[in-house]
């Protein structure tokens, strides 16, 4: 069989520990035998980030900007212990944070579902995608612990030096205050990303805040979404047969639980943080959660939602076989290859990406899986395999699908 060709390079960001090992296995078993992989390779493994003073992360993000699509392996975000372990020159920042700061945009997370793992919420038939606004609010808040009586005020000084003041509270005793902000352009970017992603998936978009209580802050989010929808997306949504709707966050939670799934749920920063953990747990496992960063100017970065699976890596280093789940990383590759194919009008590449996902799901649905999933299955007797065996099982199904 002739290998599938790629016209434009895909930006490849390699990473750390167990996921770096899996990365190579995926390429060797599932990609290179079938695709003439055309990637621009950046080694974001911690030793190389340290050797390049983290320049490699910046270069990789800029390459993502140039070509539009990247696939990223999980990477270590160093802490004090890692500085010692890797003899680092500095405690380098989170690569995801650096990339997000350069590309901007919104992170979408979607669970990968299989028949034998039933969501905790029985009526969820289709995955729910969380879109989290990863900017501002309490993540950039200024806080004060007040030890006694006094008046707290909100003061804004404009460029001309004119002050606007509002009393927050007259304290008769100790208390706490917090100052949060967000920016119109960041909220607009977030809204664009959500509308575009919903159109991409052809799924409804839900958005919810607490605008009845937060009449300026949350209400601004609501207004910006509504204005962009009315002026730029309404017709496109109608043509695609999908819907945008806004509701209160407490109403949204109730509706999500009662829904069948199959929509994009846009969340403010804090709501997205909390709700994405709720969703991944309720759907099954972090090892089955895919993640893509979509920037307002149409750049895509695909990755797994989980980390570098350190505990498994230390066992691997001791020569033990591990049963680490590669599914989310495989889907990062398939997602990136499909997007590359779509942008280049390269149908064979799109078909390959779809078949890679189909082969992976077939393997799981036939009960062959890594250990982390075995305990979650119902109604079947699963067969636990190690990572390498799992890849071989996927490959044999992929070969059949490609020959069909
Ligand atoms: P983690 O790598 O996600 O792993 C936490 C635990 O979850 C694992 O020990 C394992 O449980 C289970 N798990 C996660 N993914 C799995 C998979 N694919 N297959 C099987 N089990 C899986 O999180 P962490 O241990 O907190 O972080 C490790 C490193 O990853 C840190 O250095 C952190 O900075 C980095 N990190 C990177 C990213 C990213 O690049 N996007 C995200 C998060 C964390 P058992 O050990 O019980 O089997
Ligand atoms: Mg969280």
């Amino acid at each position: 069989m002739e290998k599938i060709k790629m016209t434009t390079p895909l930006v490849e960001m390699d990473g750390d520990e167990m996921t770096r090992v899996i990365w190579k296995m995926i390429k060797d078993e599932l990609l290179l035998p079938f695709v003439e992989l055309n990637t621009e390779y950046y080694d974001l493994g911690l030793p190389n980030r340290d050797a390049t003073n983290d320049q490699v992360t910046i270069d990789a993000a800029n390459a993502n900007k140039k070509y539009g699509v990247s696939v990223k392996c999980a990477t270590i975000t160093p802490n004090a212990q890692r500085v010692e372990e890797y003899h680092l020159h500095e405690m380098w920042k989170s690569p995801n944070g650096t990339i997000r700061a350069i590309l901007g945009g919104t992170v979408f997370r979607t669970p990968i579902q299989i028949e034998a793992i039933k969501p905790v919420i029985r009526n969820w038939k289709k995955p729910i995608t969380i879109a989290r606004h990863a900017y501002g609010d309490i993540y950039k808040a200024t806080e004060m612990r007040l030890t006694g009586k006094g008046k707290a005020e909100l003061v804004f000084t404009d460029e001309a030096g004119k002050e606007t003041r509002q009393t927050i509270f007259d304290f008769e005793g100790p208390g706490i205050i917090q100052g949060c902000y967000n920016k119109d352009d960041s909220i607009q970017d977030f809204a664009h990303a959500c509308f575009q992603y919903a159109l991409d998936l052809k799924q409804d978009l839900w958005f919810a805040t607490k605008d009845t209580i937060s009449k300026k802050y949350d209400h601004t989010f609501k207004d910006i979404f509504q204005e962009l929808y009315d002026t730029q997306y309404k017709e496109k949504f109608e043509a695609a047969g999908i819907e945008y709707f806004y509701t209160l966050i407490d109403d949204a939670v109730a509706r999500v639980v009662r829904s069948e799934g199959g929509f994009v749920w846009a969340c403010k920063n804090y709501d997205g943080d909390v709700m994405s953990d709720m969703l991944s747990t309720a759907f099954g496992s972090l090892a089955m959660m895919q993640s893509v960063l979509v920037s307002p100017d149409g750049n895509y970065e695909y990755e797994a939602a989980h980390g570098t699976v350190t505990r498994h890596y230390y066992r691997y280093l001791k020569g033990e076989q591990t049963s680490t789940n590669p599914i989310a990383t495989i889907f990062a590759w398939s997602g990136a290859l499909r997007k590359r194919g779509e942008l280049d009008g390269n149908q064979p590449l799109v078909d390959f990406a779809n078949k890679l996902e189909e082969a992976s799901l077939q393997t799981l649905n036939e009960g062959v899986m890594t250990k982390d999933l075995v305990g979650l299955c119902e109604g079947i007797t699963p067969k636990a395999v190690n990572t390498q065996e799992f890849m071989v099982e996927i490959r044999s199904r992929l070969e059949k699908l490609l020959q069909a």
Side-chain angles (χ1 to χ4, degrees):
M1 204 183 68
E2 214 184 310
K3 286 195 195 181
I4 295 154
K5 296 201 174 41
M6 293 175 62
T7 47
T8 316
L10 172 66
V11 178
E12 174 184 354
M13 307 183 193
D14 208 343
D16 290 298
E17 299 194 312
M18 204 58 221
T19 40
R20 188 181 179 96
V21 176
I22 288 176
W23 195 260
K24 184 166 186 308
M25 285 184 189
I26 292 173
K27 286 174 70 177
D28 289 346
E29 280 293 331
L30 302 177
L31 302 175
L32 291 168
F34 313 105
V35 181
E36 254 178 44
L37 257 194
N38 175 4
T39 69
E40 198 164 291
Y41 179 86
Y42 293 86
D43 183 1
L44 268 55
L46 190 50
N48 193 48
R49 273 182 276 149
D50 194 49
T52 61
N53 290 326
D54 210 23
Q55 185 61 38
V56 67
T57 309
I58 295 163
D59 292 345
N62 285 328
N64 198 152
K65 265 195 147 165
K66 178 175 169 194
Y67 294 113
V69 189
S70 73
V71 57
K72 180 182 169 291
C73 180
T75 45
I76 293 169
T77 298
N79 53 17
Q81 180 263 321
R82 297 293 199 169
V83 171
E84 226 169 85
E85 181 183 355
Y86 282 83
H87 309 288
L88 301 179
H89 297 102
E90 254 182 62
M91 200 188 290
W92 305 109
K93 285 190 203 153
S94 148
N96 283 15
T98 303
I99 294 165
R100 219 170 287 158
I102 293 172
L103 294 180
T106 302
V107 176
F108 296 87
R109 295 203 153 168
T110 312
I112 300 156
Q113 279 186 283
I114 60 165
E115 286 149 30
I117 301 178
K118 307 268 185 277
V120 175
I121 295 176
R122 292 287 151 151
N123 40 286
W124 285 354
K125 305 270 182 295
K126 288 173 261 171
I128 298 167
T129 296
I130 282 264
R132 174 181 171 191
H133 183 214
Y135 181 82
D137 300 350
I138 60 162
Y139 300 84
K140 293 276 180 190
T142 307
E143 304 188 325
M144 266 188 217
R145 177 81 177 104
L146 310 174
T147 52
K149 212 172 152 151
K151 179 159 128 174
E153 289 178 294
L154 212 51
V155 182
F156 174 73
T157 314
D158 72 14
E159 273 183 320
K162 185 172 161 284
E163 279 187 2
T164 311
R165 268 172 196 274
Q166 250 172 273
T167 303
I168 298 171
F169 194 63
D170 277 311
F171 284 88
E172 326 81 44
I176 40 182
I177 53 170
Q178 181 184 61
C180 292
Y181 70 90
N182 224 301
K183 302 192 300 177
D184 280 19
D185 59 3
S186 174
I187 301 167
Q188 283 155 3
D189 285 353
F190 172 50
H192 279 301
C194 292
F195 287 127
Q196 272 156 17
Y197 201 71
L199 281 168
D200 258 17
L201 292 186
K202 293 207 171 38
Q203 290 186 351
D204 292 347
L205 176 67
W206 299 18
F207 182 47
T209 71
K210 194 69 183 175
D211 67 289
T212 47
I213 301 298
S214 172
K215 290 190 190 327
K216 295 248 159 62
Y217 200 105
D218 279 15
H219 215 289
T220 300
F221 277 83
K222 177 185 177 180
D223 289 345
I224 287 176
F225 266 73
Q226 195 61 48
E227 197 205 318
L228 287 180
Y229 180 70
D230 291 340
T231 55
Q232 298 185 40
Y233 292 100
K234 196 165 190 289
E235 279 165 26
K236 289 180 194 157
F237 267 54
E238 282 166 3
I242 57 173
E243 200 189 340
Y244 164 66
F245 89 94
Y246 176 87
T247 185
L248 275 174
I249 185 75
D250 26 3
D251 179 49
V253 170
R255 285 183 191 232
V256 165
V257 169
R258 273 190 260 107
S259 76
E260 287 200 346
F263 54 89
V264 179
W265 182 12
C267 290
K268 284 179 62 198
N269 210 348
Y270 173 81
D271 298 337
D273 187 351
V274 176
M275 292 306 167
S276 70
D277 279 350
M278 191 272 284
L279 280 190
S280 67
T281 310
F283 270 107
S285 151
L286 192 59
M288 297 287 277
M289 195 75 160
Q290 48 185 333
S291 181
V292 57
L293 173 72
V294 182
S295 82
D297 46 352
N299 294 298
Y300 295 79
E301 186 239 270
Y302 290 83
E303 63 176 339
H306 60 77
T308 60
V309 211
T310 310
R311 286 219 294 263
H312 294 214
Y313 183 60
Y314 291 154
R315 293 210 295 272
Y316 166 86
L317 287 181
K318 281 195 242 157
E320 291 172 31
Q321 289 280 358
T322 73
S323 184
T324 316
N325 189 341
I327 286 289
T329 307
I330 293 173
F331 274 64
W333 273 100
S334 58
L337 289 171
R338 179 168 44 237
K339 180 54 74 180
R340 190 67 273 163
E342 283 169 7
L343 294 177
D344 295 347
N346 184 347
Q347 194 57 39
L349 192 61
V350 173
D351 292 343
F352 173 79
N354 290 336
K355 284 177 180 165
L356 176 56
E357 290 182 1
E358 202 182 325
S360 305
L361 293 173
Q362 247 181 37
T363 310
L364 292 168
N365 283 324
E366 285 167 24
V368 180
M369 55 188 68
T370 46
K371 270 192 195 142
D372 55 305
L373 298 182
V374 165
L376 302 172
C377 285
E378 283 174 39
I380 61 164
T381 313
K383 177 181 163 205
V385 291
N386 67 38
T387 310
Q388 183 63 43
E389 290 162 348
F390 187 56
M391 300 276 185
V392 171
E393 294 272 358
I394 295 175
R395 178 174 174 167
S396 72
R397 288 167 181 82
L398 177 61
E399 278 170 351
K400 285 203 191 90
L401 287 172
L402 289 169
Q403 278 155 11

